[in-house]
Amino acid sequence: MTAARGVLLHPITMGLFLQSLSLLLLLGSCLHPAAAFPKGCYPSEEEGLKTFRCSNAQLTEVPRDIPNDTNKLYLDFNQIPFLPRDAFRDLPLLLELDLSHNAITRIESGAFQGLAEHLHSLDLSSNRLVSVSKDAFSNLKAKVNLSNNPWLCDCRLQELIRAVELVADSSGGIVCDSSTQEEHVGKAFLQVIADTDFCNMYKKTTDIAMLVTMFGWFAMVISYLVYYVRQNQEDARRHLEYLKSLPSKQRRSEESSTISTVV
């Protein structure tokens, strides 16, 4: 009788165990996305737009587990040092991206790849940007805030400013922290380029450097030719002096040979 009960209870116990296991797996799958978010990051909905906030979350890189239907992404007030290629490629619906108040010093070409179609606002203010290639913003139609960075005012920055659309009233915050010309330091960049064309200056400097290099090579060639001629003349003079010291018959033969060689 006891054995029979064991046989009857075993399937029931196994069924309950399997149901409990299925329930735990279901709960785990539901909880996994939230658990994957970095500490201090959370999704929300603002004005009908799906938002993901990681403000002041002590991040040192762009998070990977951002929901791909995010419309607004806030990564401000962190310690992110650079933006790698394809950093936001899985966010095709992103409209606003706030990267202000970080420690960004470098932006790789292609960092904003995949955002050209929808992104309309990009905030890179209050970082540590000194020089960025315009290629990093290739095909990007968003309005960009580049203020409050320690910019080097040169041709590269001039090309960048011409390639992007700046946020209204943010241009005054793009100030020369350093410059190819000392008198520009501390001035707003747009004020400086009103009177100075950095790219034209760079072209002139490059042309002068090329001319100096060509002249140097030309001088080296001329110097070598002069040395070569003088060296041959010296060798010929020594040979003639040697011939003069020889007996007359041998000297005539050697002189004939020397003359034919010179000719």
Side-chain angles (χ1 to χ4, degrees):
M1 187 73 177
T2 305
R5 285 182 180 178
V7 171
L8 291 173
L9 288 175
H10 180 68
I12 297 174
T13 304
M14 287 299 296
L16 291 173
F17 173 75
L18 291 174
Q19 287 182 359
S20 300
L21 182 61
S22 300
L23 182 60
L24 287 173
L25 290 173
L26 179 62
L27 289 172
S29 64
C30 293
L31 293 174
H32 176 71
F37 296 152
K39 183 180 179 181
C41 300
Y42 60 92
S44 64
E45 189 165 328
E46 300 177 6
E47 300 176 353
L49 296 175
K50 293 188 176 181
T51 304
F52 194 75
R53 287 190 174 273
C54 288
S55 302
N56 201 19
Q58 299 182 354
L59 298 177
T60 56
E61 62 180 2
V62 176
R64 297 180 181 179
D65 299 313
I66 302 172
N68 57 15
D69 60 349
T70 298
N71 303 127
K72 299 169 72 174
L73 177 58
Y74 292 90
L75 299 174
D76 52 317
F77 290 95
N78 285 290
Q79 292 93 44
I80 299 172
F82 80 102
L83 302 179
R85 182 179 178 85
D86 294 326
F88 307 98
R89 66 177 181 179
D90 296 326
L91 302 173
L93 303 180
L94 198 62
L95 302 174
E96 298 181 16
L97 175 57
D98 190 348
L99 289 159
S100 64
H101 298 89
N102 272 279
I104 300 171
T105 59
R106 181 166 57 94
I107 301 175
E108 291 186 356
S109 179
F112 304 112
Q113 190 168 313
L115 302 181
E117 293 299 322
H118 296 91
L119 192 69
H120 63 71
S121 177
L122 173 60
D123 194 345
L124 287 164
S125 63
S126 301
N127 276 280
R128 299 176 186 174
L129 296 171
V130 175
S131 183
V132 179
S133 171
K134 65 178 181 179
D135 296 336
F137 298 86
S138 180
N139 299 321
L140 203 62
K141 300 174 183 177
K143 293 183 178 180
V144 185
N145 189 344
L146 298 172
S147 62
N148 298 321
N149 282 281
W151 291 109
L152 165 63
C153 291
D154 60 358
C155 179
R156 205 177 193 203
L157 179 58
Q158 183 172 315
E159 289 181 338
L160 172 61
I161 297 300
R162 289 175 176 174
V164 301
E165 182 180 358
L166 297 176
V167 172
D169 301 324
S170 70
S171 59
I174 303 175
V175 177
C176 301
D177 187 72
S178 58
S179 175
T180 52
Q181 296 186 13
E182 190 66 27
E183 63 269 20
H184 297 151
V185 175
K187 295 182 180 179
F189 184 67
L190 292 189
Q191 176 188 348
V192 170
I193 59 174
D195 302 317
T196 305
D197 188 340
F198 285 96
C199 295
N200 190 42
M201 288 172 56
Y202 175 77
K203 184 177 182 301
K204 287 181 178 178
T205 302
T206 303
D207 290 343
I208 292 172
M210 187 176 295
L211 286 172
V212 170
T213 303
M214 290 176 63
F215 179 78
W217 279 106
F218 182 73
M220 288 176 63
V221 171
I222 294 298
S223 299
Y224 176 77
L225 289 174
V226 170
Y227 170 79
Y228 180 79
V229 170
R230 287 182 176 178
Q231 189 68 27
N232 284 344
Q233 287 178 344
E234 183 66 20
D235 290 343
R237 185 185 63 81
R238 289 175 180 174
H239 190 62
L240 288 173
E241 288 179 354
Y242 168 74
L243 290 176
K244 289 177 181 179
S245 66
L246 294 174
S248 58
K249 289 183 179 181
Q250 187 178 354
R251 183 172 66 236
R252 287 172 187 171
S253 177
E254 292 287 344
E255 284 177 351
S256 300
S257 177
T258 302
I259 290 171
S260 64
T261 303
V262 171
V263 173

